[in-house]
Amino acid sequence: MFKNSGTGIFIAGDNNNVSSSSILDNLGNGIQLEGNNNLIVSNEISRSTINGILIGKADGNTVAQNTVSMSGIGGANTAGILLELLGQSGNVIVGNTVFRNIDFDLQDNNSSPCLNSWVGNSPDATTSGDCVTSN
């Protein structure tokens, strides 16, 4: 999926799997999650105008082993991987390599108590949020 005029992949349903895809040069988000219990694994997401991966009103998703780079070239307060402030729970963001994103590599807008897990991610620069951990 590349050079879409909006979001590359928009998931509004449950129990989907997006894996081993190249999602490049989209004018919106690379991937936007609005459903539950989805698996986003081993994708390359690069040069999205807004966020690389946006987790919206979505619970129980796994975002793992993706490479997310150079996102946020056209927005403000963007991230390689962003968990919006919507009180989501049970999302696991694990083992992602995230680098050279404009504002943040990893960002969780929810505050404690942490209801989502950030484990073993490798950002090269800035992260934001009480709940975000790396390595």
Side-chain angles (χ1 to χ4, degrees):
M1 307 298 313
F2 66 95
K3 295 190 178 182
N4 290 294
S5 62
T7 294
I9 298 175
F10 185 93
I11 301 172
D14 301 338
N15 304 308
N16 295 287
N17 181 349
V18 176
S19 62
S20 303
S21 298
S22 292
I23 303 159
L24 310 171
D25 299 311
N26 293 290
L27 295 179
N29 298 301
I31 297 176
Q32 184 170 343
L33 280 171
E34 300 292 342
N36 303 316
N37 303 312
N38 295 291
L39 179 62
I40 309 300
V41 63
S42 298
N43 298 289
E44 174 194 5
I45 300 123
S46 186
R47 298 181 303 274
S48 299
T49 299
I50 306 178
N51 301 291
I53 300 174
L54 171 68
I55 304 168
K57 187 59 181 159
D59 298 313
N61 295 288
T62 299
V63 176
Q65 300 173 347
N66 298 286
T67 300
V68 185
S69 64
M70 297 181 277
S71 294
I73 56 178
N77 199 28
T78 59
I81 301 175
L82 170 63
L83 190 62
E84 287 188 300
L85 176 60
L86 297 170
Q88 310 90 321
S89 65
N91 293 295
V92 177
I93 301 95
V94 60
N96 298 284
T97 301
V98 190
F99 61 95
R100 292 183 57 200
N101 295 286
I102 301 302
D103 292 319
F104 300 101
D105 285 331
L106 305 171
Q107 183 176 13
D108 187 341
N109 287 337
N110 297 286
S111 57
S112 297
C114 300
L115 302 176
N116 302 282
S117 299
W118 296 81
V119 180
N121 297 292
S122 299
D124 78 339
T126 57
T127 62
S128 175
D130 296 340
C131 299
V132 175
T133 59
S134 57
N135 288 338

